[in-house]
Amino acid sequence: MTETHFGNHTAYPGARRSSSRWLLLSARALSTVFRPSFYPTVAFFVLLTFTFLRMLPFVYRLCVLAVVYILTYAVPYFGVRFYRRTKGLSKQQLRERKARIVPYAIHIVSYLVCLDFVWRMRLPSFLLCVIVISIILQAACTVISFWWKISVHSAAVGTVIGGLVVYSSVFAFNPVWWLSGAILLSGLTGSSRMLLRQHSLWQVLGGTIVGIGCGLLGTLIVQI
């Protein structure tokens, strides 16, 4: 076995390959678990569980969560798959900037339907805010994609950071620990996208900044 000496340490190529393999697997897992489409469902779950809304009947909360999941994840997911198959596009081709316009449009339309659902159900404004932020983010990413590719994964985490800043004043809680977790998640997600060579550092940073701006803007619009 070939080995390489660095000072008093011996590094084996097999060990380095194993470490790289696990690093890539971890990056893929992070990218999958923290997919942007999951954020609205997770946000609704947290707000329905850890705020005064937990007093609502369990079946009612479960139905709301199910509808949000269907409209913000299932419908866009299968809609994009159907579009890709009818156009004969590969996953790699769908990542190109011009090819991403229709998937963004599918997401926006589905989110608008979800917004109408939340509005008609007379749910509190802070739940409405989650969908408004998501729509603003989708619209911003669609416009930006005409000129530049940004990390939507990083942008999604950025909305959490921006939203937390405003939510902390609305609910009068100390956001330090929540913000620390969101910032840590932002770093891990951005690193995973770069390790998978899906985005550059500037695309990750750009996505985070756009996300923070959308989180602040969407929360302020609904609260105003």
Side-chain angles (χ1 to χ4, degrees):
M1 179 182 292
T2 304
E3 58 183 47
T4 306
H5 297 274
F6 295 97
N8 296 324
H9 301 280
T10 302
Y12 293 92
R16 290 199 300 273
R17 284 195 297 270
S18 179
S19 298
S20 299
R21 178 170 169 269
W22 281 109
L23 195 61
L24 288 174
L25 286 174
S26 299
R28 290 194 186 98
L30 278 169
S31 292
T32 301
V33 172
F34 297 105
R35 186 176 296 176
S37 298
F38 289 149
Y39 281 79
T41 304
V42 173
F44 266 72
F45 173 78
V46 170
L47 293 171
L48 289 169
T49 305
F50 298 103
T51 66
F52 64 88
L53 294 178
R54 66 180 177 273
M55 294 185 292
L56 293 172
F58 174 76
V59 174
Y60 178 83
R61 287 182 289 147
L62 189 62
C63 288
V64 170
L65 200 62
V67 172
V68 170
Y69 173 79
I70 290 170
L71 291 175
T72 62
Y73 178 75
V75 171
Y77 175 77
F78 288 107
V80 172
R81 280 178 64 93
F82 178 76
Y83 166 73
R84 183 169 64 86
R85 289 191 176 184
T86 54
K87 293 295 183 180
L89 298 173
S90 64
K91 290 184 178 181
Q92 187 62 38
Q93 289 174 317
L94 202 61
R95 294 191 182 103
E96 295 177 3
R97 282 180 287 179
K98 291 182 179 180
R100 298 173 81 179
I101 303 302
V102 172
Y104 276 133
I106 293 172
H107 277 79
I108 291 173
V109 171
S110 186
Y111 277 57
L112 285 171
V113 175
C114 186
L115 179 64
D116 181 66
F117 164 77
V118 176
W119 177 265
R120 290 178 183 274
M121 292 294 290
R122 303 295 180 185
L123 293 171
S125 60
F126 58 83
L127 287 177
L128 190 71
C129 181
V130 173
I131 307 302
V132 171
I133 290 174
S134 299
I135 293 172
I136 293 174
L137 178 63
Q138 295 285 348
C141 290
T142 301
V143 173
I144 293 172
S145 66
F146 281 103
W147 295 279
W148 193 44
K149 179 183 177 183
I150 65 170
S151 172
V152 182
H153 280 73
S154 297
V157 185
T159 61
V160 177
I161 298 172
L164 277 172
V165 173
V166 182
Y167 268 70
S168 62
S169 62
V170 174
F171 291 102
F173 69 90
N174 186 343
V176 170
W177 288 107
W178 288 94
L179 281 173
S180 298
I183 292 170
L184 176 62
L185 176 60
S186 177
L188 290 173
T189 305
S191 298
S192 70
R193 301 306 290 168
M194 289 188 291
L195 281 170
L196 295 174
R197 297 183 179 180
Q198 297 297 318
H199 295 285
S200 66
L201 174 61
W202 290 111
Q203 289 169 347
V204 166
L205 292 176
T208 303
I209 293 170
V210 170
I212 292 173
C214 291
L216 290 170
L217 178 62
T219 310
L220 290 172
I221 287 174
V222 175
Q223 295 304 319
I224 290 173

